[in-house]
Amino acid sequence: MTTIGKTMQDAMNEQINKEFFSSYLYLSMAAYFEDKNLTGFAHWMHLQADEEREHAMKFYNFILDAGGHVQLKAIDAPATEWKSNLEVAEQVAEHEAKVTASIHDLYELALKERDYAAQVMLQWFITEQVEEEKNAAELLAKLRLIEERGTAVLMLDHRLAKRGGEEGEDAE
Ligand code: MG
C-alpha cells in the first residue's frame, strides 16, 4: 500500500482548513441574510456551508485512507457584516476563485509527487469548482441586474429558496 507523502499530507491538511473556513464564511453569510429576513438567500448559503463541510471531510477521509495524519487547525473568523447583497455575492465569487486556485495548486503537487490516488480524488474537486464558480457568477450577475430593487430581490429570494441539496440542483 502506498502512503501519502508528507508534502501532500500537509497541503491537504491546509485544504481541510480552507474548506472549513469556507463553511464558516457561508454560515456567516446565511446569518446575515437571516437578519434581513431573506430566507431564500439564507437557505442557499446554508446548503453552501454544508457542502463545504463535506469537502473538508473528503480531504479528511482521503488523508486517513492513505495512511496519513489529519491535523485540524484554527479556523479564521469570517466577516459578519456586508454593505449589500451584492457585496456578499462579490465576495462569494472572489472566494470561490481563490478556492479553485488552491485546488489547482494541489493538483500540480499531486502531479509532481506522482501521487496518482490524489490526482483522481482532486479531479472531482476540479469539476466541482467549475460548478461552484458558475453558481457564484450566476448569483452575482442576477444581483447586478436587479441592483437593490425590493420586488426583484424578493423574487430572487423565492427562487434561491428552491435550491436542492444535491449538487446545487434546483428542487423544482
Ligand atoms: Mg469547497
Side-chain angles (χ1 to χ4, degrees):
M1 177 197 167
T2 53
T3 52
I4 191 168
K6 180 151 189 335
T7 314
M8 181 55 73
Q9 173 192 288
D10 291 350
M12 284 198 178
N13 274 317
E14 284 298 328
Q15 191 64 34
I16 289 177
N17 187 263
K18 286 176 188 170
E19 300 291 348
F20 273 116
F21 174 76
S22 298
S23 186
Y24 240 37
L25 176 65
Y26 290 125
L27 198 56
S28 189
M29 289 171 170
Y32 168 82
F33 287 123
E34 300 272 10
D35 279 349
K36 296 174 83 173
N37 289 315
L38 289 173
T39 52
F41 281 80
H43 169 76
W44 194 93
M45 291 297 169
H46 273 294
L47 288 183
Q48 197 70 21
D50 291 348
E51 270 191 26
E52 299 304 342
R53 188 182 181 281
E54 285 168 23
H55 293 170
M57 293 310 292
K58 277 184 196 281
F59 284 103
Y60 174 104
N61 288 318
F62 181 86
I63 293 171
L64 291 177
D65 289 349
H69 295 285
V70 166
Q71 193 182 11
L72 299 179
K73 298 157 198 290
I75 305 166
D76 288 339
T80 55
E81 290 294 334
W82 290 270
K83 280 190 293 230
S84 61
N85 302 330
L86 182 61
E87 195 185 45
V88 176
E90 281 166 352
Q91 199 179 342
V92 169
E94 276 168 31
H95 181 71
E96 286 304 330
K98 264 192 244 168
V99 173
T100 299
S102 73
I103 294 292
H104 290 175
D105 286 346
L106 279 176
Y107 194 75
E108 285 288 333
L109 182 65
L111 291 174
K112 194 170 141 253
E113 301 264 308
R114 299 190 179 186
D115 186 332
Y116 303 113
Q119 286 170 30
V120 172
M121 181 264 200
L122 287 164
Q123 278 163 12
W124 182 88
F125 278 95
I126 292 169
T127 309
E128 173 68 10
Q129 280 312 116
V130 174
E131 187 68 24
E132 295 280 41
E133 291 212 52
K134 188 194 97 174
N135 290 341
E138 200 179 299
L139 183 64
L140 183 56
K142 282 180 180 160
L143 278 167
R144 278 194 178 134
L145 201 65
I146 68 179
E147 294 169 337
E148 299 292 324
R149 285 196 299 273
T151 315
V153 170
L154 285 177
M155 282 173 72
L156 180 55
D157 188 58
H158 185 71
R159 165 104 194 132
L160 294 176
K162 291 182 177 162
R163 176 177 171 177
E166 302 255 316
E167 306 282 317
E169 294 293 326
D170 287 344
E172 59 192 350

